[in-house]
Amino acid sequence: MNSVYKNFFRNLYLKTGGFLPTKPINQNIYPGDFFQIKNGQMIVLGNIYRSDIVSRENHILSSGDRLNGQSWKFKHDVTKPYSGEGAGDNNLQGPSGFTKQILAFNSPGSHFFYGEDPESVRILNWSDIHQELIVKLTQTYYTFRDVYLVTECATLANWTLAISSSETGELIFETNSKNLGILEGFGHYNSKTIQSKDIEYYHREPNRKPAFFKAKKLAVHDDKFNDFINELMNQNVEKNNWVSDFFDYDFYNDSVSVMPDISVNTHISTIDMLKANELNPNSALLYFKWIDANLDDIEKLFQTYDNQ
């Protein structure tokens, strides 16, 4: 999936308060699914409920919470250069009055999304099970150091999405319903697309598929990360002295220690540097925590490596 999709992923996250689409778009995903992102791919590895990682008495989920409907209707860099009414035969259901509209997509990745009646199913007792899950996913059931866990999924009564591949993308559609705005006309059940140009993705989904989600991801506690950075700095200073003593060669040693640019997301190195048996079921909670998946994770979904 190329980068023209990225704007849609970011806007959905920002507009809906943290929901992400699956990748590929419109795949089923459920609360309790855990996955990794590898080479830009979202790989679902299992489900904590299906595998009984969480005891059955702790299977506590909602059964359909209403979400803010307006958040699921948005467009980016799309205009409507033409809208006109006609009468007679058209591409819909025989002779009648109809409205013809042209949508212009003005940049690669410009998009139009219209969803109706959003609902969510979520884990209700996350605060009761999140520590148990850390121990089980990093120590007793699995040895994950990098994993995401779906805490909530969203469905819509129906939704329509179009994403342009160029700055000259175009959709022409007709509808029997009058007086509809640009968003409503695009997503209306009575609309029919009759022509398209340079549209990378177009889909109209009439079913409540759980294709949007929120997730938590495994991270290292900030204090442990800071301890790791301090230890690296001390080791760097000591290494200069060791080099002078060990090698029978006059290497130039800069007295100023230059540290690599390590971000807070570089948590794998922190854990890899632990001594043998230092990380165990009793100590896992000292090192790991859950944080919300965010815009950084969207970037990971679009990072690919040719050699993998």
Side-chain angles (χ1 to χ4, degrees):
M1 183 186 294
N2 66 46
S3 59
V4 298
Y5 290 79
K6 189 190 296 186
N7 281 338
F8 168 66
F9 276 64
R10 290 176 60 88
N11 278 340
L12 184 81
Y13 175 89
L14 294 171
K15 299 286 187 182
T16 62
F19 280 96
L20 294 169
T22 55
K23 189 183 179 199
I25 293 173
N26 205 30
Q27 306 299 304
N28 285 9
I29 197 162
Y30 305 96
D33 281 354
F34 51 92
F35 66 92
Q36 291 182 323
I37 299 174
K38 298 295 184 183
N39 196 25
Q41 294 183 317
M42 183 176 160
I43 304 170
V44 178
L45 301 170
N47 185 285
I48 60 172
Y49 299 114
R50 185 181 182 189
S51 302
D52 287 330
I53 295 173
V54 172
S55 58
R56 291 189 177 274
E57 61 268 22
N58 281 324
H59 293 190
I60 305 175
L61 299 105
S62 68
S63 57
D65 298 327
R66 296 295 298 273
L67 300 173
N68 179 8
Q70 288 305 117
S71 300
W72 296 80
K73 302 174 176 67
F74 56 86
K75 62 185 177 69
H76 172 71
D77 204 15
V78 179
T79 55
K80 184 171 67 173
Y82 175 82
S83 177
E85 294 185 4
D89 291 337
N90 56 68
N91 292 278
L92 297 165
Q93 300 295 324
S96 63
F98 65 95
T99 298
K100 179 179 179 179
Q101 297 192 25
I102 298 176
L103 300 181
F105 295 75
N106 301 312
S107 60
S110 56
H111 53 267
F112 220 114
F113 181 75
Y114 184 87
E116 292 189 307
D117 299 327
E119 296 179 350
S120 81
V121 176
R122 61 190 176 93
I123 298 174
L124 290 176
N125 61 332
W126 175 254
S127 61
D128 296 329
I129 65 174
H130 73 281
Q131 291 187 335
E132 172 189 354
L133 287 171
I134 287 175
V135 175
K136 289 182 175 179
L137 292 177
T138 67
Q139 296 297 308
T140 56
Y141 279 70
Y142 300 97
T143 56
F144 287 121
R145 302 296 180 259
D146 174 24
V147 73
Y148 296 79
L149 196 146
V150 177
T151 56
E152 184 174 4
C153 68
T155 69
L156 298 116
N158 61 81
W159 57 266
T160 308
L161 170 64
I163 301 174
S164 177
S165 62
S166 78
E167 67 279 0
T168 58
E170 186 176 87
L171 273 178
I172 302 176
F173 66 91
E174 294 178 349
T175 177
N176 284 339
S177 302
K178 298 182 179 181
N179 302 318
L180 294 175
I182 183 172
L183 283 168
E184 290 79 7
F186 170 74
H188 197 271
Y189 71 91
N190 207 16
S191 297
K192 181 178 179 64
T193 299
I194 59 174
Q195 188 174 330
S196 67
K197 173 188 174 184
D198 291 350
I199 299 300
E200 173 75 19
Y201 182 88
Y202 178 86
H203 182 73
R204 177 170 289 186
E205 177 56 57
N207 303 301
R208 284 197 173 275
K209 291 190 67 174
F212 310 96
F213 68 95
K214 290 184 177 181
K216 302 282 187 180
K217 62 180 177 180
L218 204 60
V220 171
H221 278 294
D222 295 339
D223 57 343
K224 295 298 181 183
F225 179 78
N226 293 333
D227 290 345
F228 171 66
I229 296 300
N230 290 332
E231 184 176 348
L232 277 185
M233 293 179 67
N234 292 333
Q235 288 180 6
N236 208 32
V237 172
E238 294 171 359
K239 184 177 181 180
N240 290 336
N241 298 328
W242 173 82
V243 166
S244 298
D245 293 337
F246 184 79
F247 292 100
D248 187 20
Y249 189 83
D250 187 19
F251 287 108
Y252 172 74
N253 274 326
D254 192 342
S255 59
V256 179
S257 297
V258 178
M259 288 298 298
D261 183 16
I262 303 176
S263 73
V264 293
N265 293 319
T266 317
H267 61 273
I268 297 300
S269 297
T270 313
I271 300 302
D272 288 347
M273 288 297 292
L274 292 177
K275 304 296 188 295
N277 298 323
E278 191 172 348
L279 180 61
N280 54 60
N282 295 321
S283 66
L285 297 180
L286 297 176
Y287 290 95
F288 290 110
K289 63 179 179 179
W290 295 106
I291 62 174
D292 293 332
N294 53 45
L295 293 173
D296 291 336
D297 303 294
I298 293 176
E299 294 298 320
K300 289 181 65 176
L301 285 169
F302 293 91
Q303 292 175 353
T304 58
Y305 308 95
D306 293 337
N307 62 344
Q308 290 189 4

